[in-house]
């Protein structure tokens, strides 16, 4: 049978399939690289907030009216953690010294696409006082 087309493929599909798979694979590398960079920034923000949370103001413990951080020591602890991980970020202490928010900014320079992905992630830590539930009047 001279006109049997079993196993035949269109010339257009044969030419386009290879480059299309290659380009989509390369863009996937950049997409996952950007995601990995964002997840790393998120992890750094979480750990910097935890480091700051350890700087409890000891004078707030004695009257037993709640726990708060020493703003100077907490900011120094968080900034120290950011410096050790080569991350850029800011530290904010609110709620009377009970909430620490660390915001980390980062970027990923794409390998195969002429673009730089910028991201900014934040993490908060809240100091609670009480044995079974927070004694500041709110359960969070």
């Amino acid at each position: 049978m001279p006109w049997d087309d079993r196993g035949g493929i269109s010339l257009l599909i044969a030419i386009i399939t290879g480059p299309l798979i290659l380009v989509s694979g390369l863009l996937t590398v950049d997409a996952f690289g950007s995601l990995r960079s964002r997840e790393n920034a998120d992890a750094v923000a979480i750990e910097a907030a935890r480091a700051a949370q350890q700087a409890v103001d000891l004078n707030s413990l004695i009257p037993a009216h709640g726990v708060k951080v020493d703003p100077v020591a907490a900011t120094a602890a968080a900034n120290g953690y950011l410096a050790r991980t080569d991350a850029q970020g800011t530290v904010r202490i609110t709620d009377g010294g009970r909430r620490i928010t660390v915001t980390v900014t980062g970027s990923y320079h794409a390998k195969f696409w002429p673009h730089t992905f910028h991201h900014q992630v934040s993490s908060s830590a809240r100091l609670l006082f009480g044995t079974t539930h927070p004694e500041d009047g709110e359960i969070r």
Side-chain angles (χ1 to χ4, degrees), residues 9-139:
I9 186 169
S10 166
L11 184 61
L12 178 67
I13 298 298
I15 292 173
I16 290 187
T17 302
L20 186 62
I21 290 173
L22 180 67
V23 167
S24 64
L26 296 179
L27 293 179
T28 301
V29 168
D30 283 338
F32 281 113
S34 176
L35 180 64
R36 187 176 53 249
S37 176
R38 184 177 181 83
E39 288 175 348
N40 182 51
D42 187 45
V44 168
I46 290 169
E47 293 303 321
R50 286 185 186 159
Q53 191 178 21
Q54 302 301 314
V56 174
D57 181 7
L58 297 179
N59 292 329
S60 72
L61 293 175
I62 295 173
H65 294 291
V67 180
K68 62 182 183 176
V69 295
D70 176 6
V72 174
T75 302
N79 284 330
Y81 188 86
L82 292 173
R84 284 191 303 276
T85 58
D86 293 327
Q88 300 293 322
T90 59
V91 180
R92 207 177 55 175
I93 299 173
T94 57
D95 196 18
R98 291 186 180 180
R99 180 177 300 277
I100 301 120
T101 304
V102 178
T103 303
V104 175
T105 56
S107 61
Y108 173 75
H109 304 291
K111 306 275 189 250
F112 302 106
W113 194 31
H115 184 72
T116 299
F117 297 93
H118 299 284
H119 45 266
Q120 184 174 19
V121 293
S122 295
S123 179
S124 293
R126 179 168 166 75
L127 277 77
L128 301 176
F129 175 72
T131 56
T132 58
H133 66 277
E135 293 185 9
D136 62 356
E138 289 184 48
I139 297 177

